[in-house]
């Protein structure tokens, strides 16, 4: 008995090492190409977006007196200097429509989305004369396309001048009057969408700057933003503003931010929900596999001891190999089919290997009842617990405690000293079949 247990432990340890290597390989395959895969997704679909409000300003030539001294004489010169004056943003009324469309690259899903943006802004010309106002809209990122671009002042389209990452137009605004600027476009992005009220980082299109929330305190007047989503799992990043109103729809949410006179250094933002990631999930299941095999070996040892059935260590070796086949097949099947379909196929293959093998070793009834049930619980059910985000540990703990209870009740009357002294007798040919 002692020698047999020692051999089983050795087989278990060797299989655990194999699982560790397989898990490390899965994570290496997943994350070694993650940065390049994400950049490829951004180049073909679009990068994360951070939209800032447009700017309005006008230029004036102002006389400037300069005093200098030459040869002991004081000289005065009058020069012309261009001064740029920014118009205050009086109101902002925005509409944002986010439609999530996941894309898969390798072993990872990326949270790509389509966005429809529309904004109505009011700027007041506070000067005492008519001005040619330049309205400038900075696009949220350079890595994106912008279709159906709308750019009107008082409902009149203006001639646009495109620069590296912005569009601008000029319109005449009378003294003391308010100009209503309307902008809109359809675009595509990745991972999250931000709206900055202004300040540092607003409207930047660098690869990392979109992630940093604005820290400069900005005053916003008469502001409203209505956002619609086609997904239920909404998530607002840290240091961002929660909606003032929200209502659930059939497909997602209607979210509203309304402020009369807001002073804040925060942004409005939405992080797209992630899809279940096949690579990391397969890796975590592989690293956890020794626990599943331990419970299965433990239960098989208890059952065979109670039933007087002898399983040779070589039998345990093939059982361990059948367990390992589940994770090996899962690691390479998730590249080609959905994670749920891959999980179902791998479960069926592994259980078939164990049942068909033990049918020959012990008997059909033992293989189809005790062994198949134990494998389903400790391999399939325990592994599926990793699909239950937030409940994995609890589900496995409950299963472990229930196993302990059943085994304790079944073995409470066994005299283990006698069992270890006498060994495990060889059963009659029909003992388990």
């Amino acid at each position: 008995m002692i020698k047999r247990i020692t051999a089983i432990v050795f087989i278990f340890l060797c299989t655990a090492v194999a699982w560790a290597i397989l898990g490390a390989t899965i994570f290496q395959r997943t994350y070694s190409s993650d940065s390049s895969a994400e950049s490829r997704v951004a180049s073909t679909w679009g990068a994360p977006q951070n939209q800032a409000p447009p700017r309005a300003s006008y230029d004036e030539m102002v006389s400037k007196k300069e005093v200098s001294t030459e040869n002991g004489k004081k000289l005065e010169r009058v020069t012309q200097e261009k001064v740029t004056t920014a118009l205050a943003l009086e109101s902002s009324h925005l509409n944002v429509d986010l439609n999530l469309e996941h894309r898969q690259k390798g072993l990872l899903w990326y949270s790509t989305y389509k966005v429809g943006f529309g904004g109505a802004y009011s700027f007041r010309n506070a000067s005492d004369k008519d001005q040619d106002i330049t309205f400038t809209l900075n696009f949220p990122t350079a890595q994106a396309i912008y279709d159906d671009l709308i750019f009107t002042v008082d409902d009149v389209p203006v001639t646009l001048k495109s620069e590296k990452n912005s569009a601008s137009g000029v319109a005449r605004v009378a003294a003391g009057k308010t100009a209503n600027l309307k902008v809109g476009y359809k675009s595509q992005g990745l991972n999250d969408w931000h709206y900055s009220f202004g300040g540092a980082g607003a409207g930047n299109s660098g690869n990392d700057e979109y992630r940093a929330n604005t820290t400069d305190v900005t005053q916003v007047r008469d502001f409203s933003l209505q956002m619609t989503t086609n997904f239920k799992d909404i998530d607002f990043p840290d240091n961002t503003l929660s909606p003032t109103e929200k209502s659930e729809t059939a497909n997602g949410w209607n979210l509203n931010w309304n402020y009369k006179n807001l002073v804040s250094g925060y942004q409005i933002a939405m992080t797209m929900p992630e899809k279940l990631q096949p690579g990391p999930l397969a890796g975590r299941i592989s690293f956890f596999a020794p626990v599943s095999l331990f419970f299965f070996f433990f239960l098989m040892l208890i059952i065979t001891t109670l039933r007087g059935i002898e399983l040779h260590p070589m039998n345990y070796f093939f059982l361990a190999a059948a367990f390992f086949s589940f994770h090996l097949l899962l690691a390479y099947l998730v590249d080609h089919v959905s994670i749920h379909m891959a999980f179902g196929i791998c479960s069926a293959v592994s259980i078939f290997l164990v049942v068909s093998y033990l049918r020959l070793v012990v008997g059909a009834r033992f293989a189809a009842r005790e062994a198949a049930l134990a494998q389903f619980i400790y391999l399939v059910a325990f592994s599926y617990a990793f699909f239950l985000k937030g409940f994995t540990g609890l589900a496995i703990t409950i299963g472990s405690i229930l196993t302990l209870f059943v085994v304790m009740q079944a073995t409470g009357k066994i005299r283990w000293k006698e069992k270890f002294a006498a060994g495990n007798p060889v059963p009659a040919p029909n003992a388990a079949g």
Side-chain angles (χ1 to χ4, degrees):
M1 176 68 78
I2 297 297
K3 291 181 179 180
R4 185 173 61 164
I5 293 177
T6 302
I8 295 172
V9 170
F10 177 76
I11 293 170
F12 171 81
L13 293 177
C14 291
T15 312
V17 171
W19 269 316
I21 296 173
L22 177 63
T25 302
I26 295 173
F27 280 110
Q28 191 275 334
R29 289 173 53 216
T30 300
Y31 293 112
S32 63
S33 59
D34 180 30
S35 58
S36 61
E38 184 170 357
S39 63
R40 291 198 303 271
V41 172
S43 65
T44 57
W45 182 266
Q49 297 197 359
N50 184 356
Q51 181 63 63
R55 305 188 308 272
S57 62
Y58 61 89
D59 296 332
E60 286 184 305
M61 299 304 295
V62 178
S63 298
K64 182 180 180 182
K65 184 183 293 186
E66 294 182 352
V67 179
S68 62
T69 303
E70 293 183 6
N71 299 323
K73 296 181 179 180
K74 184 180 293 186
L75 301 177
E76 291 187 0
R77 295 178 181 175
V78 177
T79 59
Q80 296 294 316
E81 183 180 21
K82 185 171 73 172
V83 177
T84 300
T85 303
L87 273 64
L89 181 59
E90 298 287 331
S91 65
S92 307
H93 301 287
L94 316 177
N95 287 283
V96 180
D97 183 33
L98 296 175
N99 289 281
L100 180 67
E101 296 183 8
H102 287 104
R103 292 288 188 277
Q104 185 177 15
K105 284 285 186 181
L107 292 174
L108 289 175
W109 283 94
Y110 292 90
S111 301
T112 54
Y113 62 87
K114 291 183 178 179
V115 56
F117 177 80
Y121 300 90
S122 296
F123 296 91
R124 179 176 294 278
N125 178 11
S127 69
D128 56 0
K129 58 183 179 180
D130 297 354
Q131 299 289 352
D132 289 327
I133 308 297
T134 300
F135 298 90
T136 303
L137 174 68
N138 285 335
F139 293 119
T141 177
Q143 289 184 285
I145 60 172
Y146 301 95
D147 191 20
D148 289 346
L149 181 63
I150 298 172
F151 201 110
T152 65
V153 177
D154 294 331
D155 295 325
V156 178
V158 298
T159 303
L160 292 181
K161 177 183 177 182
S162 298
E163 298 181 3
K164 181 179 179 181
N165 191 37
S166 65
S168 61
V170 179
R172 191 76 171 175
V173 180
K177 297 298 182 179
T178 297
N180 297 309
L181 172 67
K182 291 184 179 179
V183 297
Y185 56 78
K186 295 179 181 178
S187 186
Q188 299 173 162
L190 174 69
N191 292 339
D192 46 38
W193 184 89
H194 288 246
Y195 185 84
S196 304
F197 295 117
N204 288 332
S205 59
N207 293 332
D208 298 319
E209 291 180 359
Y210 74 91
R211 299 180 185 275
N213 293 326
T214 300
T215 56
D216 290 358
V217 175
T218 306
Q219 185 175 21
V220 183
R221 300 183 183 91
D222 190 13
F223 178 89
S224 68
L225 187 152
Q226 181 177 357
M227 178 185 294
T228 59
T229 72
N230 70 335
F231 50 89
K232 298 280 189 179
D233 188 15
I234 56 176
D235 183 26
F236 309 107
D238 294 338
N239 300 321
T240 60
L241 297 171
S242 298
T244 54
E245 298 176 4
K246 62 180 181 179
S247 59
E248 192 171 4
T249 63
N251 298 321
W253 289 88
N254 282 330
L255 309 171
N256 291 278
W257 290 259
N258 297 293
Y259 305 107
K260 292 182 178 179
N261 192 4
L262 173 69
V263 178
S264 176
Y266 291 154
Q267 296 180 354
I268 293 174
M270 174 66 68
T271 297
M272 305 301 139
E274 290 187 353
K275 201 169 184 178
L276 191 63
Q277 299 289 9
L281 180 65
R284 290 194 299 270
I285 291 176
S286 295
F287 281 130
F288 177 79
V291 178
S292 298
L293 185 62
F294 170 81
F295 277 105
F296 182 77
F297 274 7
F298 175 69
L299 202 61
M300 287 296 99
L301 188 62
I302 294 297
I303 293 174
T304 54
T305 301
L306 291 174
R307 300 273 302 273
I309 301 171
E310 183 180 6
L311 285 181
H312 191 272
M314 280 302 298
N315 301 135
Y316 282 93
F317 169 79
F318 286 112
L319 293 176
F323 263 63
F324 185 78
S325 68
F326 169 89
H327 303 87
L328 184 62
L329 182 59
L330 181 66
Y332 293 96
L333 194 58
V334 291
D335 284 357
H336 307 286
V337 299
S338 71
I339 182 63
H340 291 90
M341 181 179 292
F343 187 89
I345 294 173
C346 297
S347 300
V349 169
S350 182
I351 292 177
F352 173 77
L353 289 174
V354 170
V355 172
S356 62
Y357 177 66
L358 287 180
R359 176 183 62 86
L360 301 174
V361 176
V362 181
R365 189 173 65 178
F366 176 83
R369 190 173 60 181
E370 285 91 340
L373 180 60
Q375 187 181 12
F376 178 81
I377 294 174
Y378 300 113
L379 176 63
V380 179
F382 273 34
S383 297
Y384 192 78
F386 284 88
F387 287 79
L388 309 176
K389 188 177 180 180
F391 294 93
T392 303
L394 178 62
I396 294 173
T397 300
I398 293 174
S400 302
I401 293 175
L402 290 177
T403 300
L404 180 62
F405 171 77
V406 171
V407 172
M408 290 174 67
Q409 296 301 309
T411 61
K413 295 184 178 181
I414 292 181
R415 301 296 178 259
W416 292 104
K417 183 177 180 180
E418 299 176 2
K419 284 287 182 181
F420 278 90
N424 199 15
V426 178
N430 61 350

